[in-house]
Every structure is written in structure tokens, then in C-alpha cells.
Amino acid sequence: MKPRSCLAIVLAAGEGTRMHSPRPKVLHAIAGRSLLAHVLAAVAEAGVTTAAVVIGPGQDEAAAEAKRVVPDAAVYVQHQRRGTAHAVLAAKAAIARQPDDILAVYGDTPLIRPATLKRLRAPLAAGAAIAVLGFRPADPTGYGRLIMAGDELVAIREEADASTSERAIGLCNGGIMALAGNTALAILTRIGDHNRKGEFYLTDAVEIARAMKLRGVAIEVEEDDVRGINSKSQLAEAEAVVQQRLRRAALDAGVTLVAPETVFLCADTQFGRDVVVEPYVVFGEKVTVEDGAVIHSFSHLVGAHVGKSASVGPFARLRPGSRLGEGSRIGNFVEVKEAVLEAGAKANHLSYIGDAVVGANANIGAGTITCNYDGSDKHRTVIGKDAFIGSNSALVAPVEIGQGAYIGSGSVITANVPPDALALARGRQVVKEGGATRLRGLKSLGKKKAAPGNSNQ
Ligand code: UD1
Ligand code: CA
């Protein structure tokens, strides 16, 4: 049988007033990824053939985000916010092409899983005109209620319009609807705005379908699948759910998380086999960790690649562009940015390595700083393999340290150092025999003089 075509319409035109933020609601992030990107990723994995996103006027950033995630997504603008059905009809041109299935998904419901979307589509193939995801929230306030007659869904009542007995219904609208493509437009165009808010409610589609002798069904799912995000506290709740899922997936793939609840992951964090992550580690976007690497406690990684069997932290910061080679080591209080450490290179303590290449097996002593920024431009530092940088050295970029070169501790290196050379760039030490004794003598003399009548105790 030919797979059914499917159009997904993601509604993102809302202002998200309850977020108290100038940013469009769908651009807020959980697990380092926008709400919109979460929804579009789930939609893409659910066998959707065409994705459409409905944005508000002037929400160019939301459009750009949609295109970033799904380059061929169609973007429609809902010029006035007249309700969810009105928003769906902004994509009328796509609906009119009569795909087999249509999914109307709210952009503020980011925890939806591909498998759940597939379950929702299934009744359409069996002849239903409309299918809705239902759930039983701990607190149903604010959600539309699903009115059932046996196993048939007969209506959805918005809270503002619900009677007291309808409000007592625990089964709520999850905000995701599947519509059969051949009847969708006929249903949607009949929706009116005769309700408390004077909006065109997508939820009215159910009663209209029934009046047209078409069948509606509800599919009940877990609250976590359809949690809607209207406020910052709901954003935080969704973050907790998504973190739990990501941790579970990492554990299932064989990553050792010593204290999973303390590790924060990103939707795109990638782990190889047998990686160990100690407690309290934060992964930002675009991090990959290869087989056998260990990330010690209190490390923060963003845009970093950690090679095989490398060791990071405790207390390390890997910023975007950090690439650690096999068996390399980044120790405590070391910050790395736009830098490559080749295999076996080490920076074990208190360093900043930015805009640099550190050759294989080079050793960066404690307190070494690559001075990459001159106040207006960034410059590179290149350190050859097997080089040794003595502790507390400043490497003023642009500068090259040759292979096997040795930098004496405390040097300020401003010129290139050839391979296998020894460079010392610090003040010469002066030793004065008996100087300390003389100094103490002078000090005690000064105290005796100052003592009588000295009021500054
Ligand atoms: C909606 C449902 C409610 C359901 C709940 C689930 C309706 C009428 N109500 O209520 O039954 O229980 O979601 O979370 O559908 N949007 C637009 N344009 C508009 C209005 C909304 O694009 O004119 C978008 C919003 O950006 C949002 C989504 O549609 O992504 C839902 O709108 P929202 O105002 O959050 O609806 P709820 O009141 O949460
Ligand atoms: Ca909502």
C-alpha cells in the first residue's frame, strides 16, 4: 500500500504574553533547542511529507528558525490573531492540495513524540475524519475538555465556555489534531467565532465534523507528551521532562552517568561507547564525546568535540570550536575555545587556550595563557608536537612554538620559537647574600622609632 501523504501545520503565531518576554514563545528553548525545533523534529520523524509553519506578522526570527530546522518548510503568516482555526487556515493553500492526512500541531507543545503523532494518524487510515490527543492533567485548568459518547469524541469545550459539569471532566485536549485531508477544508471553513473569546477555535472542528456525520476519536496519552507551555514555570517543567528523556536515552545507549539527575544534556548531545560523565556536568549545543572519554564533575561543554579516551575536568570549560584529540587531557580550571589539541596533548591546570593548535603530546604547564586578543583582533597560537610550555607562560599571538621546543616558566613569548629551541623570556633573578637579614633589621628599627606616642594602633 502506498504510504499516506501528510501535511503538518505547526501553529506558532501566538505572542506568548504569559511568558513575559519580547521573544516569540516558540523560540524559547528546552534542552538547548527551540520549542519550534523540537516540534518540527518530531513532525519530521512521524512520516510527514510537507511541513508548514504559521507565524505572526513580523516574526521573522520564527520563520528563520523554521527554515533552519526544515529548509523546505512552507511559512505562512497569520496577519491577525483570530484563534487556532484561523491560524490553521493561514495554510489554506497547502490544505487545499488534499494530502491524505493533516496534523495540526501547536508550536508550544514541544514534548510530542514521533510515535505519538503516528498513533494519532492511525484512525484516519481507518476512516475517522478527526482524531485528537487527549490526556488527564493533574490540573486541568485552562485546557479544553473532551466530551465523549462511548468511544466517539463528540465535542471539545474550551474552559471559558464550559459549564460546571463540563469543567469537571478530567480528559483534556492535548492540542494536537489529525484531520482527514479530503474533508478538512469543508470542516475548517465552517468554524465560527461565536464564543466567549470571539475566536475561531480549532477545537470546534469536532462538533462540526459530527454534524456532517463524520467520525471523531480521541487517543489518550501521557501528560508529558502534550504538556503545553504558556509560562516560564511550564517551560521549566518541560525542561525537566526532556532532560529525563535524554538521560534515559544516554543510559540506554551505554553512557555511564554517575548521578543522572545532575547532568544536563542538549537535544543533540552525542556520545560514543563507554563514556563516563561524573556528577554536575552541563552539555550545551553541538557536543560530541567519543568512546571511552571521561568528563569529570563541574565541567561545562558547548560546541566541543571530545576525542577517544580523552579526559576533561573537573572544572573545565570547553567553548565552541574546542577539538580534543585521542587521549588528550584538559584539567581543572582550564578554558578552551576554537582550539585543537592533538592526540595526547595535555593542559592539566589553570589555563586559557584560545584560537590555538596544540600539537600531539605537547605539555601546557599550569597557568599558561594564549594571549589571543589584542583589543581589536584575534590571533592564533601554534604549538608544535612534543613542545613543553613552562608554567605561567604568556604566549602573545600570533606566535608559533616549534615542535619539541621548551619554554621556561614565567615567560612572555612574543616572537616565534624554532623547533627544539629553549626560550626564556623573563626578568633575570637577582640574589643578595644576607639581604633578608638586613631588610628585617631596617624594619624593626622603623617600628621602634614609630612606637612612642604612636596613636595609630
Ligand atoms: C489550546 C486549545 C485547548 C487545549 C490547549 C492545549 C484551542 C481553542 N484551545 O488552548 O483546547 O487544551 O491548547 O495546550 O485551540 N495560535 C496561533 N494563532 C492564534 C492563536 C493561537 O498561531 O490566533 C497558536 C499559538 O501560538 C499556540 C497554539 O496556537 O502555539 C495554541 O494557542 P494557545 O493560545 O496557547 O491555546 P490554549 O489557550 O493553550
Ligand atoms: Ca497553549
Side-chain angles (χ1 to χ4, degrees), residues 63-374:
E65 173 68 353
K67 290 280 189 192
R68 187 184 70 81
V69 184
V70 181
D72 61 356
V75 175
Y76 296 93
V77 178
Q78 184 195 19
H79 292 284
Q80 275 180 299
R81 295 194 74 244
R82 300 287 322 270
T84 43
H86 185 258
V88 168
L89 281 172
K92 194 172 181 175
I95 300 169
R97 278 181 223 121
Q98 292 211 5
D100 296 321
D101 300 348
I102 296 171
L103 283 172
V105 188
Y106 295 167
D108 65 351
T109 312
L111 299 178
I112 187 67
R113 283 185 277 209
T116 311
L117 291 173
K118 285 185 189 161
R119 266 180 77 197
L120 186 67
R121 286 177 62 192
L124 302 184
I130 195 161
V132 170
L133 282 186
F135 71 116
R136 296 180 188 276
D139 175 12
T141 314
Y143 289 112
R145 308 298 204 282
L146 300 191
I147 301 174
M148 306 292 297
D151 59 1
E152 215 172 306
L153 174 66
V154 294
I156 305 178
R157 195 74 66 233
E158 286 309 295
E159 172 146 307
D161 304 290
S163 65
T164 315
S165 63
E166 284 169 342
R167 279 188 196 194
I169 295 172
L171 187 61
C172 291
N173 175 20
I176 296 169
M177 189 180 276
L179 295 149
N182 55 351
T183 47
L185 206 53
I187 297 171
L188 292 168
T189 47
R190 275 173 217 200
I191 293 175
D193 59 357
H194 305 295
N195 51 53
R196 272 284 168 78
K197 291 190 181 164
E199 285 189 359
F200 295 88
Y201 289 161
L202 180 59
T203 44
D204 284 352
V206 174
E207 262 175 309
I208 292 169
R210 189 173 168 82
M212 293 165 72
K213 306 266 182 282
L214 298 168
R215 196 158 64 88
V217 297
I219 306 274
E220 197 175 326
V221 295
E222 299 278 298
E223 177 167 18
D224 283 346
D225 262 8
V226 287
R227 257 173 211 282
I229 295 180
N230 299 313
S231 64
K232 291 282 170 70
S233 64
Q234 286 172 331
L235 187 71
E237 283 164 19
E239 178 81 52
V241 173
V242 101
Q243 286 300 335
Q244 228 163 12
R245 286 184 186 172
L246 292 169
R247 291 167 189 147
R248 169 56 62 88
L251 289 164
D252 288 349
V255 177
T256 301
L257 300 178
V258 178
E261 66 286 1
T262 66
V263 173
F264 288 81
L265 299 163
C266 216
D268 64 357
T269 310
Q270 283 181 31
F271 293 109
R273 289 157 56 87
D274 224 17
V275 168
V276 175
V277 181
E278 289 186 353
Y280 299 101
V281 173
V282 175
F283 292 91
E285 269 185 300
K286 298 195 178 81
V287 175
T288 47
V289 183
E290 285 195 53
D291 300 356
V294 180
I295 315 295
H296 296 280
S297 292
F298 306 107
S299 294
H300 190 281
L301 300 82
V302 180
H305 175 82
V306 179
K308 269 192 190 153
S309 307
S311 169
V312 174
F315 298 99
R317 178 168 186 212
L318 302 185
R319 291 171 51 201
S322 300
R323 301 192 64 79
L324 309 188
E326 183 168 349
S328 60
R329 304 178 68 87
I330 290 297
N332 39 264
F333 307 106
V334 175
E335 174 180 347
V336 181
K337 186 220 75 169
E338 283 296 343
V340 176
L341 273 89
E342 288 171 359
K346 295 182 201 69
N348 277 331
H349 339 260
L350 300 157
S351 277
Y352 172 64
I353 302 168
D355 301 304
V357 175
V358 180
N361 298 313
N363 192 323
I364 311 288
T368 297
I369 306 289
T370 55
C371 309
N372 60 330
Y373 186 51
D374 62 13

